[in-house]
Amino acid sequence: MQTTEQRELPPIESVFNPNSMEYALDPGPQCKALSERGRLVWYAPWMCWIMTRMPDIMDCWKNEYLSSDFYDWEFAPPRPLEENWNNFERALVGHSLLADPDHHRLIRKITSPAFSRNVVDNINRRIEPDIVRLFEGLKDADEFDYIEDVARHIPFISITRMVGIPEKYWPQIKRTVLTFTETWNPTISDERREKAQQDSNLAIDILLEVIAERRLSPVGEEDFLSALLQVEAENEDFDEWDIVTLILALIGAGADTTLMAQQWSAYAFLKNPDQIPLALESTATFSNAFSEIMRWAGNSKMGFARYVPEDRELLGQQVKKGQMVLMMPHLKDHDPDFFDDPYRLDVRREFNPDVLFGYGPRYCIGAALAKHQLYLSMREFFRQFPNATLAEEPERDLEDHNSISFKSLRVKTNR
């Protein structure tokens, strides 16, 4: 599946290994080596094609000519029959926002009021007191682990408050928040994926119960679930399972991503304290700063999975039906051809376009909400501990399937 020119080079897996410590410490050289192999590169360890160039990735996002349906993957289990669907399959097969572009566009259109400025502001007001209490609980500590004591709590706080899940359900749903992104991940074992789907089935049972309770007794506060129930009442093409699927999408977008964003944002600021006041000047400045932090971090391993719907030529390569194509926009992040002085953190760096949260029809509609929650966390962190420093350089953890994380992030408060 390689051109003559590529066959003369060392195997791509010998120069690109995102599970290696070398990649974790400095992904730039390996990412550049991969992108230099061509616009579409076969990567045998993952049995997939990798799309390397930004114009091609943005065109694929915009025109959606590849499938987003996990069951279109050549190694996926058989698509379940509707009469045998469990809750997870009903949500992610029957109402999938990923698989059906037309339905996805419809849902984006009719649910836009649920992401209005008023709703987002109300959700942030619900979350902020929990974030403040989390940091206040550490105020007497000389040192703490930011990951264990802060970052691991934020995704759960955000999702439960955002959706409006009563506290009595928190112990049951917490596991799902931690494992949901594994439910469709094509690179992990079938057993691990099945266990994650079981966690999601339990969470869906809880969501259906919460929805039923909310119908009987609407709450006065405006949270995401209240906004979605209002959308349902006004749109016959939007039903209860669309609500469930949207909430699951928020869990998927907000769990792993939030955990990684928390630890890398804290690390970036502790390594570059001069950037803190510039980034935290306002929500607007932080929005741009967050894109720069994630670029600087270079913590992505994989990318956005798509599947070939039929045999065809793609970017000069013959691809087969069912093959996976991974779009990897992060390959450019440490490339000096894209960014001046790429190893320097500059929170005022300009991004045009900014594709951190996707692009075109697949741009994450919850991006503003996610950024503001992280802003609240960073603002409170450095308000409580303005002199905080790293206690030690953190050891990279290679176990996560999608991102480079830290085994711990020890912080000295220096109070």
Side-chain angles (χ1 to χ4, degrees):
M1 295 184 181
Q2 296 174 314
T3 66
T4 301
E5 180 182 352
Q6 288 174 325
R7 283 195 294 269
E8 294 173 352
L9 296 170
I12 188 61
E13 56 267 28
S14 70
V15 296
F16 178 77
N17 179 7
N19 293 317
S20 66
M21 184 57 70
E22 291 79 10
Y23 183 96
L25 293 172
D26 182 6
Q30 293 194 31
C31 288
K32 190 170 180 60
L34 174 60
S35 63
E36 287 176 345
R37 291 296 178 95
R39 299 164 68 188
L40 195 67
V41 181
W42 178 252
Y43 191 62
W46 292 343
M47 292 296 291
C48 74
W49 294 96
I50 295 177
M51 191 179 293
T52 67
R53 309 289 170 80
M54 282 308 304
D56 297 327
I57 291 170
M58 292 170 68
D59 180 64
C60 188
W61 263 326
K62 182 178 180 180
N63 293 306
E64 301 188 277
Y65 57 79
L66 296 178
S67 171
S68 302
D69 188 344
F70 169 76
Y71 289 102
D72 284 339
W73 182 38
E74 60 183 326
F75 300 115
R79 187 183 300 274
L81 298 175
E82 183 172 356
E83 58 265 29
N84 298 326
W85 282 348
N86 57 31
N87 278 345
F88 174 81
E89 292 160 344
R90 185 173 301 279
L92 271 295
V93 180
H95 286 71
S96 176
L97 300 181
L98 293 175
D100 186 342
D102 291 335
H103 186 64
H104 177 263
R105 293 188 186 98
L106 172 66
I107 296 305
R108 284 182 68 100
K109 179 179 179 180
I110 65 178
T111 60
S112 58
F115 291 91
S116 69
R117 180 65 179 269
N118 286 340
V119 173
V120 169
D121 287 347
N122 282 331
I123 290 172
N124 286 326
R125 279 195 289 271
R126 293 165 63 88
I127 293 169
E128 187 170 7
D130 294 285
I131 292 176
V132 171
R133 281 193 292 271
L134 192 59
F135 283 102
E136 285 182 342
L138 300 168
K139 65 182 179 181
D140 295 326
D142 294 325
E143 183 177 316
F144 63 91
D145 180 357
Y146 190 90
I147 295 175
E148 190 63 34
D149 297 327
V150 178
R152 291 193 187 280
H153 299 277
I154 298 292
F156 181 65
I157 289 171
S158 297
I159 290 166
T160 51
R161 293 297 192 192
M162 177 169 53
V163 177
I165 298 174
E167 291 188 24
K168 64 181 179 180
Y169 296 114
W170 287 8
Q172 296 166 280
I173 207 168
K174 194 166 191 177
R175 177 67 185 169
T176 303
V177 172
L178 298 175
T179 65
F180 181 72
T181 57
E182 297 180 1
T183 57
W184 69 82
N185 187 286
T187 67
I188 62 177
S189 68
D190 292 342
E191 293 77 15
R192 184 172 167 186
R193 193 163 54 240
E194 174 62 27
K195 178 60 174 69
Q197 290 185 12
Q198 292 173 7
D199 293 337
S200 292
N201 277 321
L202 174 60
I204 292 169
D205 286 338
I206 294 171
L207 291 175
L208 291 171
E209 191 169 342
V210 171
I211 291 170
E213 291 176 355
R214 189 67 67 83
R215 292 190 202 282
L216 291 174
S217 303
V219 297
E221 295 184 68
E222 189 175 16
D223 54 29
F224 189 61
L225 179 54
S226 297
L228 290 179
L229 288 170
Q230 184 63 36
V231 171
E232 180 194 36
E234 298 171 354
N235 295 272
E236 62 180 16
D237 294 322
F238 186 82
D239 63 23
E240 181 174 82
W241 281 98
D242 288 312
I243 295 176
V244 170
T245 304
L246 270 170
I247 292 173
L248 290 177
L250 284 175
I251 292 174
D256 279 4
T257 304
T258 300
L259 179 58
M260 292 300 165
Q262 282 284 334
Q263 57 185 281
W264 277 99
S265 295
Y267 176 73
F269 286 142
L270 291 169
K271 293 287 283 187
N272 302 272
D274 61 304
Q275 299 291 294
I276 297 172
L278 301 176
L280 300 183
E281 186 177 293
S282 67
T283 54
T285 58
F286 184 79
S287 177
N288 190 79
F290 179 54
S291 294
E292 169 66 356
I293 288 167
M294 299 312 289
R295 182 208 64 79
W296 176 84
N299 67 332
S300 295
K301 290 183 179 179
M302 294 182 62
F304 299 86
R306 298 292 186 267
Y307 309 98
V308 180
E310 59 188 4
D311 292 358
R312 58 169 292 178
E313 181 178 323
L314 177 61
L315 305 180
Q317 301 286 357
Q318 293 298 321
V319 298
K320 301 294 185 181
K321 179 180 179 180
Q323 288 183 328
M324 186 198 310
V325 177
L326 281 177
M327 300 185 294
M328 288 192 169
H330 63 273
L331 295 179
K332 70 185 185 315
D333 286 349
H334 285 171
D335 188 339
D337 291 338
F338 281 89
F339 297 105
D340 292 334
D341 198 2
Y343 288 88
R344 178 172 62 89
L345 182 71
D346 177 6
V347 298
R348 290 181 172 173
R349 192 186 297 272
E350 294 184 3
F351 295 87
N352 186 25
D354 186 347
V355 296
L356 179 62
F357 285 88
Y359 178 77
R362 295 294 172 176
Y363 183 77
C364 177
I365 55 179
L369 187 61
K371 290 178 181 179
H372 194 83
Q373 290 167 19
L374 187 58
Y375 166 74
L376 293 175
S377 300
M378 292 298 106
R379 186 183 67 178
E380 188 62 24
F381 176 24
F382 291 104
R383 187 184 72 83
Q384 289 280 355
F385 307 109
N387 301 314
T389 57
L390 284 173
E392 60 191 11
E393 182 63 26
E395 182 181 356
R396 268 60 168 178
D397 189 344
L398 307 182
E399 294 301 314
D400 189 86
H401 64 276
N402 194 44
S403 302
I404 299 161
S405 60
F406 299 117
K407 291 188 175 181
S408 65
L409 188 60
R410 303 296 306 179
V411 176
K412 284 186 176 181
T413 59
N414 299 312
R415 297 180 67 93

